[in-house]
Amino acid sequence: MKNIKTRFAPHFLLVLGMASNLLHAQPPPAIPMLNSPLVPEFVAPGSAALTLTLNGSDFGTGSIVYWNGSPRQTTYQNCCQIYAEITAADVSTPGSALVTVVNTSQLYGPLVSNSQLFSIAAPLSGVSYTAPISMTSPDANGIVVLGTADFNGDGKPDLIFANNCSSNCYGSTVSVALGNGDGTFSGPNTFAVSSTNNYNVNSVGFVFGDFNHDGKLDLVVLNSYCIELPCDLGNGTFSFLAGNGDGTFQPAVETSIGYDPVAIAAADFDGDGNLDLAFAGVGYSAIPSALYVFLGNGDGTFQTALTVSPAPYPNRAQVAILAGDFNRDGRQDLAVGAGATFILLGNGDGTFQSAIQSPTVNAWGLAGGDLNGDGAPDLVISAPCGQLPGCGYPATIWVLMGNGDGTFQTPVSYSVEDSSSMTPIVLGDFNGDGTLDIMAGNSCGIFSAGTCSGATLSFLAGNGDGTFQPQVQPQGLPSFVGFDYIVAADFNGDGRIDIAVDGGTTGLGAVSSLLTTTLQLSSINLSFAGQNVGGQTSPQSSILTNIATAGNVGIANTKVAGPNPSDFTLTTTCPSQLSPTAQCQVNAVFTPTATGPRTATVAITDSAVGSPHMIALTGTGIAGAIASLSSLALTFASQTVPTTSPIQTVTLTNTGSAALNISSIAASPQFLYKSACGTMLAIGANCTISVAFKPAFGSTQTGTLTITDNAPGSPQTVTLSGTGVYFALSAPSLAFTPQAVGTSSTPQKITLTNLANVAGPFTGVRFTGANPVSFTQTNNCGATIAANASCSIEVTFTPKKTGSLGATMQAGAGGMSLSATLSGTGK
């Protein structure tokens, strides 16, 4: 069961720690917060030096921007905007950089912001992912929270996930899988979060940051003791796990909260340089919903809870929570999604003003960023709801544009794939065009007999003005069981934003990374209908596209492998170098050699991430007859009307696995056939069909030999052609001596002969060509020319002008048009 996963949408904040050997200054002591996106967020390799604009809060005159842990020249604008100078060397090669802002405090040393990713890669014309790289989670029931951060400080993103406790379990755990920098991860290392004495406890959210000022990432996990309704217990806890800086943690220290906490956020809410915590709890019966704030002491411990009561949302609401400076006053605020969107503006001391409500419905996921570049944070909310104010299906993405004062404009909705439950979202510039995009997943694409399958991703490309293009599904993805969590990072260091999701293609108990690739396949599965053994299907194709705007994709080879490679034949139009935005095609034909399921795999070895790219081939061989013809066309030599030509033969063979039943054989008029096949042809047997040409009139004739049977492709056909010869002229041309203009030559005779043994019609003589009026004729042919008889045509040359003159004489006889070339000179 996935009870926790369909109830809560936890959110988490990454705050990176750094070594405390920086020069001490005297900026504001608060921990800075860095908004998304950086401006710009994405450049192509080899770009010139640039000025990077960073928006956020709690910046000071001594704030320093760090690029992959190294300081860059920084200019202070105000509390919410600073600039950093990025050199050409920083962006010379493909890759990515983590950008952070550091304030220094005399009391605590470096105070480090959350990080933002800066990508260095060519833009993409679309979004495509490699096959999932999956690892098994410790609990077969799957995971309930997923996040990414660099827990061991090696510059490679790691994954962290809380393991599901479906029922009847004691204690809760989280697991860390360290990134290898190539999209793969080490086996997960699991840590206890709550006491094993606690029954049916489940982690519902976590945050990470440097809570004790030792420069190492720590972890705070939110625990719920109410994983099924109705709740028997009403307590919740949070667990603090101090990081060791190597991807491991010290034992958890657990603290009680109020009733049933479901969402968590971290920020410096009181501006004292320590990270604080905010929790959302949902009420039940007589216990009201509440928000709790625990102010941090800077050593991993926390003060007594401040309660924001009553909470602005009702009991048992679905809740998401997000920290940010929504009115740009330098103080951290809270956004809460729970039936509507509520903004609680911070007072700077850990308390908050009364909630400001913006209309949305059933917020499951909540993300923030500057979508239109005006410096004011905007919100993106996912909900399994239809149009306002009601709630229905399909799932919807709501975009709320911020006014910069804590209020938001009217929500705009965007449809995504159908989903009746949680719709996870993540923001990022996935196609590298400089604007934030939305990636959303549906937790259950198809629900049948208690099982989910067919989950997909929805990609909504940002236009840069706060609007988004209609959803598209990234191509090349297999069918997932479900997506409840999506996180984004550059997992293989190529400068492109990748994603990681919970679940996999076969079940929930997995975590999968999906790497962005520049080679897009229109289909990764080619499935053929049942085909008789020995027969051949029509081809199916997958289109390969280089979706990068710069840089070729090298294609080394395309091969068929797997259990039944000989049952599939490939052809391809792909060159050795596929240029940017270009396409090529891989075609497959299924020719089963045996009955039953037949499978193989196309392996495309290329230079793009994820090579070799794979296309699954499937088909089923079935028992049946196959009609094979020795020739598909017969051409006969010229034949005199109405005589019969020499015989040509076609051999019909049954290459299938069942008898070939022949229901009829027929030939077009003027072609004769004789069959030795009968009405049935046994397996492996063959027979001969004799064909002859007997023209009824002159000219070229075409026809068809048609065999109707029980084999695929019936009727089988053979194309037939031949030329009937009826009449002939005695000479191909007549040449006249020079003749004075206006005078007539002596007539020249040409004989028209009927070669056939039957009479044929004569339809007359006409002249065409350049100078037809200079020639005349008389003939004695009559309307019909008897069998084997001849007649004469006498042509006279009477030039109408001087110079070389010519024409063509055409005599119509027996359905033919016979011609002779005429020439003469006028003087």
Side-chain angles (χ1 to χ4, degrees):
M1 295 179 64
K2 299 169 63 180
N3 301 305
I4 282 292
K5 300 171 77 173
T6 58
R7 289 180 55 218
F8 309 124
H11 293 270
F12 35 81
L13 167 73
L14 167 62
V15 181
L16 293 175
M18 298 182 66
S20 57
N21 59 354
L22 301 176
L23 294 177
H24 287 261
Q26 190 59 45
I31 296 176
M33 178 74 77
L34 188 53
N35 291 345
S36 175
L38 303 170
V39 182
E41 188 182 29
F42 207 114
V43 297
S47 296
L50 61 107
T51 298
L52 187 65
T53 301
L54 298 85
N55 296 301
S57 57
D58 289 315
F59 300 149
T61 56
S63 294
I64 301 174
V65 174
Y66 277 73
W67 176 276
N68 278 335
S70 298
R72 293 295 180 268
Q73 180 181 333
T74 305
T75 302
Y76 172 79
Q77 178 68 24
N78 53 47
C79 72
C80 304
Q81 190 172 78
I82 55 178
Y83 306 98
E85 301 305 319
I86 307 303
T87 68
D90 290 333
V91 296
S92 60
T93 58
S96 58
L98 284 181
V99 178
T100 55
V101 178
V102 176
N103 293 343
T104 53
S105 163
Q106 290 184 342
L107 179 62
Y108 298 118
L111 303 177
V112 186
S113 75
N114 59 307
S115 63
Q116 294 290 344
L117 180 70
F118 188 94
S119 296
I120 309 160
L124 304 175
S125 59
V127 177
S128 186
Y129 293 105
T130 63
I133 304 172
S134 300
M135 61 180 167
T136 302
S137 63
D139 194 310
N141 294 305
I143 67 175
V144 288
V145 195
L146 177 65
T148 181
D150 182 8
F151 288 102
N152 61 348
D154 64 354
K156 303 170 184 176
D158 310 314
L159 290 176
I160 183 170
F161 45 90
N163 300 300
N164 189 15
C165 167
S166 59
S167 63
N168 299 324
C169 57
Y170 289 85
S172 58
T173 61
V174 296
S175 299
V176 173
L178 298 179
N180 297 318
D182 59 359
T184 65
F185 299 86
S186 64
N189 192 7
T190 301
F191 304 91
V193 172
S194 66
S195 170
T196 56
N197 295 325
N198 296 327
Y199 178 70
N200 273 15
V201 59
N202 219 330
S203 302
V204 294
F206 48 54
V207 291
F208 7 89
D210 186 6
F211 290 89
N212 58 4
H213 296 290
D214 64 353
K216 302 170 184 176
L217 277 182
D218 309 313
L219 176 66
V220 176
V221 183
L222 184 61
N223 306 304
S224 171
Y225 289 78
C226 178
I227 60 175
E228 291 187 0
L229 298 178
C231 294
D232 298 324
L233 298 173
N235 295 324
T237 68
F238 71 89
S239 299
F240 174 76
L241 291 80
N244 295 318
D246 59 359
T248 65
F249 298 93
Q250 298 177 30
V253 177
E254 195 170 6
T255 302
S256 294
I257 316 177
Y259 188 83
D260 201 11
V262 295
I264 182 173
D268 186 0
F269 294 114
D270 60 353
D272 65 352
N274 299 320
L275 278 176
D276 310 313
L277 299 172
F279 302 99
V282 292
Y284 182 69
S285 299
I287 304 174
S289 298
L291 291 172
Y292 306 94
V293 174
F294 285 77
L295 299 179
N297 295 317
D299 59 0
T301 65
F302 299 87
Q303 301 174 31
T304 303
L306 300 174
T307 303
V308 182
S309 183
Y313 49 85
N315 290 346
R316 308 316 308 164
Q318 318 296 339
V319 181
I321 189 171
L322 181 70
D325 183 9
F326 299 108
N327 62 347
R328 294 186 290 184
D329 65 352
R331 301 168 181 173
Q332 292 303 311
D333 311 313
L334 285 175
V336 180
T341 303
F342 303 94
I343 304 299
L344 289 80
L345 299 179
N347 295 318
D349 58 0
T351 65
F352 297 86
Q353 301 174 31
S354 298
I356 304 171
Q357 181 173 341
S358 295
T360 50
V361 179
N362 266 16
W364 286 92
L366 191 58
D370 183 5
L371 304 178
N372 60 352
D374 65 354
D378 309 308
L379 292 176
V380 177
I381 297 172
S382 67
C385 292
Q387 298 300 310
L388 291 173
C391 182
Y393 306 135
T396 304
I397 298 295
W398 299 99
V399 175
L400 285 72
M401 302 304 298
N403 296 316
D405 58 0
T407 65
F408 291 83
Q409 300 172 27
T410 302
V412 177
S413 66
Y414 295 87
S415 294
V416 291
E417 284 298 291
D418 289 358
S419 179
S420 60
S421 56
M422 183 174 177
T423 303
I425 54 174
V426 65
L427 302 183
D429 186 5
F430 295 100
N431 58 5
D433 63 356
T435 62
L436 283 178
D437 310 310
I438 302 172
M439 190 70 71
N442 62 331
S443 62
C444 183
I446 302 171
F447 187 81
S448 177
T451 301
C452 287
S453 64
T456 59
L457 293 173
S458 292
F459 172 69
L460 291 81
N463 296 318
D465 59 359
T467 65
F468 293 84
Q469 298 176 31
Q471 66 159 348
V472 296
Q473 278 67 56
Q475 292 180 326
L477 286 180
S479 176
F480 268 71
V481 172
F483 299 112
D484 281 339
Y485 304 97
I486 303 177
V487 295
D490 182 5
F491 293 117
N492 61 344
D494 66 348
R496 306 189 189 280
I497 301 178
D498 311 308
I499 60 174
V501 299
D502 63 313
T505 58
T506 58
L508 299 173
V511 178
S512 302
S513 58
L514 304 173
L515 304 180
T516 301
T517 180
T518 56
L519 185 64
Q520 185 179 78
L521 282 74
S522 63
S523 177
I524 60 171
N525 295 287
L526 298 180
S527 180
F528 295 86
Q531 174 66 38
N532 287 3
V533 173
Q536 179 173 295
T537 66
S538 299
Q540 293 194 42
S541 302
S542 183
I543 306 299
L544 280 62
T545 305
N546 179 1
I547 61 174
T549 60
N552 293 343
V553 171
I555 299 179
N557 57 63
T558 303
K559 296 181 178 179
V560 181
N564 312 116
S566 61
D567 287 25
F568 300 89
T569 303
L570 290 186
T571 58
T572 176
T573 63
C574 296
S576 61
Q577 295 291 322
L578 190 62
S579 58
T581 71
Q583 293 182 329
C584 64
Q585 187 167 297
V586 173
N587 305 306
V589 172
F590 178 43
T591 308
T593 59
T595 59
R598 314 296 289 173
T599 61
T601 302
V602 178
I604 305 167
T605 304
D606 53 72
S607 62
V609 171
S611 177
H613 285 81
M614 314 296 283
I615 304 172
L617 305 176
T618 58
T620 301
I622 58 177
I626 299 293
S628 176
L629 293 168
S630 61
S631 178
L632 298 180
L634 298 179
T635 301
F636 293 88
S638 296
Q639 187 70 30
T640 303
V641 176
T643 61
T644 302
S645 73
I647 290 173
Q648 296 192 46
T649 61
V650 175
T651 301
L652 173 64
T653 304
N654 179 8
T655 60
S657 54
L660 178 68
N661 298 320
I662 303 171
S663 56
S664 68
I665 299 177
S668 298
Q670 302 191 67
F671 295 93
L672 309 174
Y673 81 92
K674 183 177 182 180
S675 172
C677 295
T679 59
M680 191 273 286
L681 200 60
I683 299 171
N686 62 69
C687 61
T688 300
I689 303 172
S690 300
V691 184
F693 175 44
K694 186 178 181 179
F697 48 86
S699 75
T700 299
Q701 307 298 314
T702 59
T704 303
L705 177 68
T706 303
I707 306 163
T708 304
D709 49 47
N710 65 333
S714 177
Q716 328 297 331
T717 59
V718 179
T719 300
L720 308 175
S721 63
T723 300
V725 179
Y726 208 150
F727 284 83
L729 292 174
S730 60
S733 62
L734 297 177
F736 293 87
T737 58
Q739 186 73 32
V741 173
T743 64
S744 298
S745 69
T746 301
Q748 293 194 45
K749 183 172 70 172
I750 191 167
T751 302
L752 174 64
T753 302
N754 182 354
L755 304 175
N757 58 8
V758 293
F762 176 71
T763 55
V765 177
R766 67 189 186 106
F767 298 98
T768 62
N771 311 110
V773 296
S774 293
F775 299 90
T776 57
Q777 62 85 28
T778 59
N779 66 79
N780 62 354
C781 295
T784 302
I785 302 175
N788 302 311
S790 299
C791 64
S792 298
I793 302 170
E794 293 186 339
V795 180
T796 302
F797 176 43
T798 306
K800 303 300 182 183
K801 59 181 179 179
T802 59
S804 297
L805 303 174
T808 299
M809 184 196 79
Q810 293 181 328
M816 304 175 65
S817 178
L818 299 98
S819 61
T821 302
L822 309 177
S823 61
T825 302
K827 62 179 183 176

